[in-house]
Amino acid sequence: MPASDLSGKACLVLGATGFIGWNLCRHLVSQGARVRAVWHQTISDEQRRDPGVEWRHGSFADRDFMSRALEGQSVVFHLVSTSAPARYNTNPIADLRENVEPTLQLAELSVAAGIDHLVFTSSGGTVYGISRAEFLSESSQTNPISCYGVGKLASEKYLEIFGRHLGLKSTILRISNPYGPYQVATKGQGLISKIISCGLNKEALSIWGDGRVVRDFIYIDDVVSALVAAAGYDGPEHMFNVGSGIGASVTEVINAVRRATGLAIDVDYQPPRAADVPVNILDTTLIRRSLDWQPQVSLEDGLRRTYAWNFAQKNASVL
């Protein structure tokens, strides 16, 4: 699949120390992009030492800081999210203040800074809500049942308005359930990283519900390739689903991890959560056609790669 040429381009990554952000930074550096990355709360020694990344420490919500961070940049990747989806129903006002309002501010500042392209990571897992359709396309109804999904949808709408009225070029990626290296199980997101971590540490795996919830899992390298492709897109579409297009239940994923890794995994079933959509599988026809993008890594291969990384991390921490 062809990749967008970001060599030499000034790319600002917001949420750079997170799972998707750090994988994206590493890829951009390998492409020869000039990477400026924002971190707020934590940064690892590996990240800090990378000579290809210019790190800026500050808050996404700080207007003056963000104005300075945008100076001289061409492409902005907005990957910031301050918490896990299930937590927002306990404090929806915090989501508004910490995510939606700063995204609106970012749009304003990007227009003022003359940013060429803003790529925003939305949520293919929450914005659609409960649907009778087997596959969810970009034109499917959006009825989120969590405050996290409402916040992502609101941010999408603000970016569309800034594009329509102020000429801000933005592309929205509704990403399904990413997994892979650098996803930390203790942060409350990432079923697959949690399964592998429990197996390696010989701990019982707690899951919400009976294991029949179906999700669309996509390996992180495929997510990164979609982000890069979106940054170079100049067509009429403004929103794309990013997923494998294949559904797998929680129980099926647990069994797939067992087969791929040989780990013994005990499961502790907890009551279901109200914020969990029963079935979520994305239709990726539009991104395949418009960006010539498609996932390259199967679930089985992705699980083996993810296990290998987690195994290496666990052994390194012991030494």
Side-chain angles (χ1 to χ4, degrees), residues 144-185:
I145 62 172
S146 69
C147 293
Y148 177 86
V150 171
K152 286 291 189 182
L153 190 59
S155 294
E156 290 182 7
K157 297 301 183 183
Y158 278 123
L159 291 176
E160 289 175 22
I161 289 172
F162 270 77
R164 183 175 298 113
H165 297 296
L166 295 173
L168 177 62
K169 173 65 177 176
S170 66
T171 301
I172 297 161
L173 298 185
R174 289 176 171 171
I175 301 171
S176 59
N177 292 78
Y179 70 96
Y182 296 99
Q183 188 174 49
V184 180

mmCIF file of all heavy atoms in Angstrom, residues 144-185:
data_model
loop_
_atom_site.group_PDB
_atom_site.id
_atom_site.type_symbol
_atom_site.label_atom_id
_atom_site.label_comp_id
_atom_site.label_asym_id
_atom_site.label_seq_id
_atom_site.Cartn_x
_atom_site.Cartn_y
_atom_site.Cartn_z
ATOM 1 N N PRO A 144 -24.243 7.638 20.518
ATOM 2 C CA PRO A 144 -23.372 7.128 21.577
ATOM 3 C C PRO A 144 -24.108 6.955 22.893
ATOM 4 O O PRO A 144 -25.000 7.742 23.227
ATOM 5 C CB PRO A 144 -22.285 8.207 21.685
ATOM 6 C CG PRO A 144 -22.859 9.429 21.048
ATOM 7 C CD PRO A 144 -23.795 8.944 19.997
ATOM 8 N N ILE A 145 -23.719 5.919 23.637
ATOM 9 C CA ILE A 145 -24.357 5.650 24.929
ATOM 10 C C ILE A 145 -23.403 5.936 26.081
ATOM 11 O O ILE A 145 -23.694 5.609 27.231
ATOM 12 C CB ILE A 145 -24.872 4.192 25.004
ATOM 13 C CG1 ILE A 145 -23.718 3.199 24.882
ATOM 14 C CG2 ILE A 145 -25.932 3.946 23.954
ATOM 15 C CD1 ILE A 145 -24.135 1.755 25.129
ATOM 16 N N SER A 146 -22.257 6.549 25.775
ATOM 17 C CA SER A 146 -21.315 6.960 26.816
ATOM 18 C C SER A 146 -20.938 8.413 26.595
ATOM 19 O O SER A 146 -20.955 8.920 25.467
ATOM 20 C CB SER A 146 -20.053 6.092 26.788
ATOM 21 O OG SER A 146 -19.291 6.359 25.621
ATOM 22 N N CYS A 147 -20.574 9.090 27.670
ATOM 23 C CA CYS A 147 -20.144 10.488 27.564
ATOM 24 C C CYS A 147 -18.870 10.602 26.742
ATOM 25 O O CYS A 147 -18.651 11.609 26.066
ATOM 26 C CB CYS A 147 -19.937 11.073 28.957
ATOM 27 S SG CYS A 147 -21.466 11.221 29.900
ATOM 28 N N TYR A 148 -18.036 9.588 26.799
ATOM 29 C CA TYR A 148 -16.811 9.571 25.982
ATOM 30 C C TYR A 148 -17.171 9.663 24.501
ATOM 31 O O TYR A 148 -16.595 10.459 23.747
ATOM 32 C CB TYR A 148 -16.046 8.281 26.277
ATOM 33 C CG TYR A 148 -14.790 8.095 25.456
ATOM 34 C CD1 TYR A 148 -13.587 8.656 25.872
ATOM 35 C CD2 TYR A 148 -14.790 7.311 24.302
ATOM 36 C CE1 TYR A 148 -12.427 8.462 25.148
ATOM 37 C CE2 TYR A 148 -13.640 7.125 23.572
ATOM 38 C CZ TYR A 148 -12.457 7.694 23.991
ATOM 39 O OH TYR A 148 -11.313 7.496 23.264
ATOM 40 N N GLY A 149 -18.139 8.863 24.073
ATOM 41 C CA GLY A 149 -18.570 8.891 22.680
ATOM 42 C C GLY A 149 -19.200 10.212 22.293
ATOM 43 O O GLY A 149 -18.980 10.730 21.196
ATOM 44 N N VAL A 150 -19.981 10.803 23.209
ATOM 45 C CA VAL A 150 -20.587 12.107 22.949
ATOM 46 C C VAL A 150 -19.505 13.160 22.771
ATOM 47 O O VAL A 150 -19.577 14.011 21.879
ATOM 48 C CB VAL A 150 -21.538 12.498 24.101
ATOM 49 C CG1 VAL A 150 -21.996 13.942 23.954
ATOM 50 C CG2 VAL A 150 -22.746 11.571 24.137
ATOM 51 N N GLY A 151 -18.477 13.098 23.623
ATOM 52 C CA GLY A 151 -17.380 14.060 23.529
ATOM 53 C C GLY A 151 -16.627 13.942 22.219
ATOM 54 O O GLY A 151 -16.288 14.955 21.587
ATOM 55 N N LYS A 152 -16.351 12.721 21.780
ATOM 56 C CA LYS A 152 -15.668 12.515 20.505
ATOM 57 C C LYS A 152 -16.516 13.039 19.349
ATOM 58 O O LYS A 152 -16.006 13.689 18.422
ATOM 59 C CB LYS A 152 -15.374 11.029 20.303
ATOM 60 C CG LYS A 152 -14.245 10.478 21.153
ATOM 61 C CD LYS A 152 -12.907 11.031 20.731
ATOM 62 C CE LYS A 152 -11.755 10.315 21.421
ATOM 63 N NZ LYS A 152 -10.433 10.888 21.042
ATOM 64 N N LEU A 153 -17.811 12.772 19.400
ATOM 65 C CA LEU A 153 -18.711 13.213 18.337
ATOM 66 C C LEU A 153 -18.784 14.740 18.297
ATOM 67 O O LEU A 153 -18.784 15.352 17.218
ATOM 68 C CB LEU A 153 -20.093 12.606 18.544
ATOM 69 C CG LEU A 153 -21.093 12.769 17.405
ATOM 70 C CD1 LEU A 153 -20.571 12.158 16.107
ATOM 71 C CD2 LEU A 153 -22.432 12.132 17.794
ATOM 72 N N ALA A 154 -18.850 15.372 19.464
ATOM 73 C CA ALA A 154 -18.878 16.835 19.515
ATOM 74 C C ALA A 154 -17.600 17.421 18.909
ATOM 75 O O ALA A 154 -17.654 18.403 18.158
ATOM 76 C CB ALA A 154 -19.046 17.303 20.955
ATOM 77 N N SER A 155 -16.465 16.818 19.221
ATOM 78 C CA SER A 155 -15.196 17.296 18.662
ATOM 79 C C SER A 155 -15.191 17.162 17.141
ATOM 80 O O SER A 155 -14.709 18.063 16.431
ATOM 81 C CB SER A 155 -14.031 16.511 19.262
ATOM 82 O OG SER A 155 -13.911 16.769 20.650
ATOM 83 N N GLU A 156 -15.711 16.055 16.638
ATOM 84 C CA GLU A 156 -15.830 15.881 15.193
ATOM 85 C C GLU A 156 -16.627 17.024 14.568
ATOM 86 O O GLU A 156 -16.229 17.593 13.539
ATOM 87 C CB GLU A 156 -16.542 14.562 14.872
ATOM 88 C CG GLU A 156 -15.767 13.306 15.163
ATOM 89 C CD GLU A 156 -16.553 12.062 14.760
ATOM 90 O OE1 GLU A 156 -17.636 12.191 14.145
ATOM 91 O OE2 GLU A 156 -16.093 10.961 15.063
ATOM 92 N N LYS A 157 -17.760 17.334 15.173
ATOM 93 C CA LYS A 157 -18.645 18.357 14.615
ATOM 94 C C LYS A 157 -17.986 19.734 14.613
ATOM 95 O O LYS A 157 -18.139 20.504 13.652
ATOM 96 C CB LYS A 157 -19.955 18.400 15.395
ATOM 97 C CG LYS A 157 -20.779 17.116 15.320
ATOM 98 C CD LYS A 157 -21.138 16.763 13.879
ATOM 99 C CE LYS A 157 -22.021 15.528 13.822
ATOM 100 N NZ LYS A 157 -22.315 15.124 12.416
ATOM 101 N N TYR A 158 -17.265 20.045 15.667
ATOM 102 C CA TYR A 158 -16.559 21.331 15.702
ATOM 103 C C TYR A 158 -15.513 21.411 14.587
ATOM 104 O O TYR A 158 -15.368 22.448 13.932
ATOM 105 C CB TYR A 158 -15.899 21.532 17.064
ATOM 106 C CG TYR A 158 -16.837 22.058 18.118
ATOM 107 C CD1 TYR A 158 -17.032 21.362 19.315
ATOM 108 C CD2 TYR A 158 -17.519 23.258 17.946
ATOM 109 C CE1 TYR A 158 -17.891 21.841 20.294
ATOM 110 C CE2 TYR A 158 -18.377 23.748 18.919
ATOM 111 C CZ TYR A 158 -18.559 23.033 20.090
ATOM 112 O OH TYR A 158 -19.410 23.519 21.048
ATOM 113 N N LEU A 159 -14.798 20.327 14.365
ATOM 114 C CA LEU A 159 -13.791 20.332 13.303
ATOM 115 C C LEU A 159 -14.443 20.489 11.927
ATOM 116 O O LEU A 159 -13.904 21.182 11.050
ATOM 117 C CB LEU A 159 -12.960 19.048 13.357
ATOM 118 C CG LEU A 159 -12.026 18.916 14.569
ATOM 119 C CD1 LEU A 159 -11.336 17.561 14.558
ATOM 120 C CD2 LEU A 159 -10.995 20.043 14.585
ATOM 121 N N GLU A 160 -15.601 19.866 11.739
ATOM 122 C CA GLU A 160 -16.323 20.023 10.473
ATOM 123 C C GLU A 160 -16.728 21.482 10.261
ATOM 124 O O GLU A 160 -16.628 22.014 9.145
ATOM 125 C CB GLU A 160 -17.563 19.127 10.468
ATOM 126 C CG GLU A 160 -17.245 17.643 10.367
ATOM 127 C CD GLU A 160 -18.501 16.791 10.481
ATOM 128 O OE1 GLU A 160 -19.602 17.328 10.225
ATOM 129 O OE2 GLU A 160 -18.388 15.608 10.833
ATOM 130 N N ILE A 161 -17.187 22.146 11.312
ATOM 131 C CA ILE A 161 -17.584 23.555 11.202
ATOM 132 C C ILE A 161 -16.385 24.429 10.861
ATOM 133 O O ILE A 161 -16.473 25.332 10.005
ATOM 134 C CB ILE A 161 -18.247 24.018 12.521
ATOM 135 C CG1 ILE A 161 -19.633 23.364 12.657
ATOM 136 C CG2 ILE A 161 -18.370 25.541 12.567
ATOM 137 C CD1 ILE A 161 -20.286 23.592 13.998
ATOM 138 N N PHE A 162 -15.260 24.181 11.491
ATOM 139 C CA PHE A 162 -14.060 24.966 11.194
ATOM 140 C C PHE A 162 -13.580 24.724 9.768
ATOM 141 O O PHE A 162 -13.018 25.620 9.130
ATOM 142 C CB PHE A 162 -12.953 24.647 12.200
ATOM 143 C CG PHE A 162 -12.989 25.526 13.409
ATOM 144 C CD1 PHE A 162 -13.917 25.300 14.415
ATOM 145 C CD2 PHE A 162 -12.121 26.598 13.533
ATOM 146 C CE1 PHE A 162 -13.978 26.118 15.532
ATOM 147 C CE2 PHE A 162 -12.168 27.425 14.645
ATOM 148 C CZ PHE A 162 -13.103 27.186 15.644
ATOM 149 N N GLY A 163 -13.795 23.527 9.265
ATOM 150 C CA GLY A 163 -13.447 23.266 7.881
ATOM 151 C C GLY A 163 -14.370 23.983 6.916
ATOM 152 O O GLY A 163 -13.921 24.575 5.921
ATOM 153 N N ARG A 164 -15.658 23.964 7.215
ATOM 154 C CA ARG A 164 -16.655 24.553 6.328
ATOM 155 C C ARG A 164 -16.563 26.078 6.305
ATOM 156 O O ARG A 164 -16.667 26.701 5.249
ATOM 157 C CB ARG A 164 -18.053 24.117 6.769
ATOM 158 C CG ARG A 164 -19.172 24.622 5.868
ATOM 159 C CD ARG A 164 -20.521 24.063 6.289
ATOM 160 N NE ARG A 164 -20.560 22.604 6.177
ATOM 161 C CZ ARG A 164 -20.657 21.777 7.217
ATOM 162 N NH1 ARG A 164 -20.695 22.255 8.446
ATOM 163 N NH2 ARG A 164 -20.706 20.474 7.045
ATOM 164 N N HIS A 165 -16.339 26.689 7.441
ATOM 165 C CA HIS A 165 -16.420 28.149 7.519
ATOM 166 C C HIS A 165 -15.063 28.858 7.563
ATOM 167 O O HIS A 165 -14.978 30.022 7.175
ATOM 168 C CB HIS A 165 -17.235 28.554 8.748
ATOM 169 C CG HIS A 165 -18.654 28.085 8.702
ATOM 170 N ND1 HIS A 165 -19.559 28.527 7.754
ATOM 171 C CD2 HIS A 165 -19.330 27.187 9.471
ATOM 172 C CE1 HIS A 165 -20.723 27.934 7.939
ATOM 173 N NE2 HIS A 165 -20.613 27.117 8.978
ATOM 174 N N LEU A 166 -14.026 28.157 8.030
ATOM 175 C CA LEU A 166 -12.731 28.827 8.182
ATOM 176 C C LEU A 166 -11.612 28.150 7.401
ATOM 177 O O LEU A 166 -10.458 28.568 7.486
ATOM 178 C CB LEU A 166 -12.354 28.901 9.670
ATOM 179 C CG LEU A 166 -13.293 29.770 10.520
ATOM 180 C CD1 LEU A 166 -12.946 29.639 11.995
ATOM 181 C CD2 LEU A 166 -13.217 31.226 10.087
ATOM 182 N N GLY A 167 -11.954 27.096 6.659
ATOM 183 C CA GLY A 167 -10.973 26.485 5.765
ATOM 184 C C GLY A 167 -9.957 25.578 6.423
ATOM 185 O O GLY A 167 -8.941 25.235 5.804
ATOM 186 N N LEU A 168 -10.202 25.165 7.674
ATOM 187 C CA LEU A 168 -9.269 24.255 8.332
ATOM 188 C C LEU A 168 -9.388 22.864 7.718
ATOM 189 O O LEU A 168 -10.452 22.244 7.760
ATOM 190 C CB LEU A 168 -9.559 24.176 9.833
ATOM 191 C CG LEU A 168 -8.701 23.187 10.633
ATOM 192 C CD1 LEU A 168 -7.233 23.570 10.577
ATOM 193 C CD2 LEU A 168 -9.200 23.092 12.075
ATOM 194 N N LYS A 169 -8.307 22.369 7.151
ATOM 195 C CA LYS A 169 -8.302 21.031 6.568
ATOM 196 C C LYS A 169 -8.100 20.014 7.684
ATOM 197 O O LYS A 169 -7.074 20.013 8.379
ATOM 198 C CB LYS A 169 -7.164 20.906 5.543
ATOM 199 C CG LYS A 169 -6.959 19.501 4.987
ATOM 200 C CD LYS A 169 -8.146 19.018 4.176
ATOM 201 C CE LYS A 169 -7.880 17.645 3.560
ATOM 202 N NZ LYS A 169 -9.059 17.111 2.852
ATOM 203 N N SER A 170 -9.100 19.164 7.902
ATOM 204 C CA SER A 170 -8.973 18.130 8.925
ATOM 205 C C SER A 170 -9.516 16.811 8.403
ATOM 206 O O SER A 170 -10.418 16.789 7.562
ATOM 207 C CB SER A 170 -9.724 18.529 10.206
ATOM 208 O OG SER A 170 -11.115 18.577 9.990
ATOM 209 N N THR A 171 -8.946 15.745 8.905
ATOM 210 C CA THR A 171 -9.426 14.408 8.601
ATOM 211 C C THR A 171 -9.656 13.678 9.920
ATOM 212 O O THR A 171 -8.791 13.684 10.797
ATOM 213 C CB THR A 171 -8.427 13.624 7.735
ATOM 214 O OG1 THR A 171 -8.208 14.324 6.514
ATOM 215 C CG2 THR A 171 -8.962 12.235 7.421
ATOM 216 N N ILE A 172 -10.820 13.068 10.046
ATOM 217 C CA ILE A 172 -11.212 12.371 11.268
ATOM 218 C C ILE A 172 -11.117 10.873 11.032
ATOM 219 O O ILE A 172 -11.646 10.359 10.039
ATOM 220 C CB ILE A 172 -12.652 12.749 11.660
ATOM 221 C CG1 ILE A 172 -12.741 14.243 11.986
ATOM 222 C CG2 ILE A 172 -13.142 11.900 12.828
ATOM 223 C CD1 ILE A 172 -14.143 14.790 11.934
ATOM 224 N N LEU A 173 -10.426 10.182 11.939
ATOM 225 C CA LEU A 173 -10.326 8.724 11.857
ATOM 226 C C LEU A 173 -11.068 8.108 13.036
ATOM 227 O O LEU A 173 -10.699 8.330 14.202
ATOM 228 C CB LEU A 173 -8.860 8.276 11.874
ATOM 229 C CG LEU A 173 -7.973 8.756 10.722
ATOM 230 C CD1 LEU A 173 -6.588 8.125 10.829
ATOM 231 C CD2 LEU A 173 -8.596 8.447 9.373
ATOM 232 N N ARG A 174 -12.119 7.374 12.724
ATOM 233 C CA ARG A 174 -12.859 6.647 13.756
ATOM 234 C C ARG A 174 -12.229 5.264 13.901
ATOM 235 O O ARG A 174 -12.506 4.347 13.124
ATOM 236 C CB ARG A 174 -14.333 6.543 13.379
ATOM 237 C CG ARG A 174 -15.075 7.869 13.469
ATOM 238 C CD ARG A 174 -16.518 7.738 12.998
ATOM 239 N NE ARG A 174 -17.293 8.950 13.271
ATOM 240 C CZ ARG A 174 -18.515 9.173 12.825
ATOM 241 N NH1 ARG A 174 -19.113 8.246 12.060
ATOM 242 N NH2 ARG A 174 -19.150 10.285 13.119
ATOM 243 N N ILE A 175 -11.400 5.122 14.922
ATOM 244 C CA ILE A 175 -10.582 3.921 15.093
ATOM 245 C C ILE A 175 -11.315 2.917 15.979
ATOM 246 O O ILE A 175 -11.949 3.295 16.978
ATOM 247 C CB ILE A 175 -9.221 4.299 15.708
ATOM 248 C CG1 ILE A 175 -8.512 5.302 14.789
ATOM 249 C CG2 ILE A 175 -8.351 3.067 15.916
ATOM 250 C CD1 ILE A 175 -7.262 5.909 15.400
ATOM 251 N N SER A 176 -11.217 1.642 15.629
ATOM 252 C CA SER A 176 -11.915 0.608 16.393
ATOM 253 C C SER A 176 -11.167 0.303 17.690
ATOM 254 O O SER A 176 -11.066 1.162 18.562
ATOM 255 C CB SER A 176 -12.104 -0.645 15.535
ATOM 256 O OG SER A 176 -10.861 -1.149 15.089
ATOM 257 N N ASN A 177 -10.634 -0.888 17.856
ATOM 258 C CA ASN A 177 -9.949 -1.285 19.088
ATOM 259 C C ASN A 177 -8.497 -1.637 18.780
ATOM 260 O O ASN A 177 -8.189 -2.776 18.426
ATOM 261 C CB ASN A 177 -10.655 -2.489 19.728
ATOM 262 C CG ASN A 177 -12.029 -2.141 20.251
ATOM 263 O OD1 ASN A 177 -12.984 -2.029 19.475
ATOM 264 N ND2 ASN A 177 -12.143 -1.942 21.553
ATOM 265 N N PRO A 178 -7.591 -0.670 18.909
ATOM 266 C CA PRO A 178 -6.191 -0.930 18.572
ATOM 267 C C PRO A 178 -5.488 -1.725 19.676
ATOM 268 O O PRO A 178 -5.850 -1.647 20.852
ATOM 269 C CB PRO A 178 -5.602 0.484 18.451
ATOM 270 C CG PRO A 178 -6.429 1.307 19.370
ATOM 271 C CD PRO A 178 -7.818 0.732 19.316
ATOM 272 N N TYR A 179 -4.476 -2.463 19.284
ATOM 273 C CA TYR A 179 -3.672 -3.215 20.249
ATOM 274 C C TYR A 179 -2.271 -3.367 19.676
ATOM 275 O O TYR A 179 -2.036 -3.175 18.482
ATOM 276 C CB TYR A 179 -4.292 -4.592 20.515
ATOM 277 C CG TYR A 179 -4.179 -5.553 19.342
ATOM 278 C CD1 TYR A 179 -3.158 -6.491 19.260
ATOM 279 C CD2 TYR A 179 -5.094 -5.491 18.287
ATOM 280 C CE1 TYR A 179 -3.053 -7.356 18.169
ATOM 281 C CE2 TYR A 179 -5.001 -6.344 17.203
ATOM 282 C CZ TYR A 179 -3.974 -7.271 17.138
ATOM 283 O OH TYR A 179 -3.873 -8.109 16.056
ATOM 284 N N GLY A 180 -1.326 -3.727 20.544
ATOM 285 C CA GLY A 180 0.036 -3.940 20.077
ATOM 286 C C GLY A 180 1.065 -3.440 21.076
ATOM 287 O O GLY A 180 0.735 -3.072 22.209
ATOM 288 N N PRO A 181 2.351 -3.417 20.678
ATOM 289 C CA PRO A 181 3.424 -2.949 21.558
ATOM 290 C C PRO A 181 3.185 -1.538 22.073
ATOM 291 O O PRO A 181 2.624 -0.696 21.387
ATOM 292 C CB PRO A 181 4.659 -2.999 20.650
ATOM 293 C CG PRO A 181 4.343 -4.065 19.649
ATOM 294 C CD PRO A 181 2.871 -3.943 19.402
ATOM 295 N N TYR A 182 3.623 -1.315 23.304
ATOM 296 C CA TYR A 182 3.530 -0.041 24.025
ATOM 297 C C TYR A 182 2.141 0.237 24.589
ATOM 298 O O TYR A 182 1.924 1.290 25.184
ATOM 299 C CB TYR A 182 4.000 1.140 23.167
ATOM 300 C CG TYR A 182 5.456 1.064 22.790
ATOM 301 C CD1 TYR A 182 5.847 0.593 21.538
ATOM 302 C CD2 TYR A 182 6.441 1.435 23.697
ATOM 303 C CE1 TYR A 182 7.181 0.494 21.199
ATOM 304 C CE2 TYR A 182 7.782 1.341 23.359
ATOM 305 C CZ TYR A 182 8.151 0.873 22.110
ATOM 306 O OH TYR A 182 9.487 0.768 21.776
ATOM 307 N N GLN A 183 1.214 -0.697 24.428
ATOM 308 C CA GLN A 183 -0.073 -0.537 25.107
ATOM 309 C C GLN A 183 0.050 -1.153 26.495
ATOM 310 O O GLN A 183 0.339 -2.330 26.638
ATOM 311 C CB GLN A 183 -1.202 -1.214 24.332
ATOM 312 C CG GLN A 183 -2.579 -0.902 24.889
ATOM 313 C CD GLN A 183 -3.693 -1.471 24.024
ATOM 314 O OE1 GLN A 183 -3.657 -2.648 23.658
ATOM 315 N NE2 GLN A 183 -4.673 -0.647 23.686
ATOM 316 N N VAL A 184 -0.161 -0.324 27.521
ATOM 317 C CA VAL A 184 0.060 -0.749 28.907
ATOM 318 C C VAL A 184 -1.269 -1.154 29.532
ATOM 319 O O VAL A 184 -2.218 -0.362 29.572
ATOM 320 C CB VAL A 184 0.709 0.383 29.727
ATOM 321 C CG1 VAL A 184 0.936 -0.068 31.163
ATOM 322 C CG2 VAL A 184 2.019 0.814 29.082
ATOM 323 N N ALA A 185 -1.331 -2.379 30.030
ATOM 324 C CA ALA A 185 -2.590 -2.930 30.543
ATOM 325 C C ALA A 185 -3.109 -2.174 31.749
ATOM 326 O O ALA A 185 -4.319 -2.126 31.986
ATOM 327 C CB ALA A 185 -2.390 -4.400 30.900
#
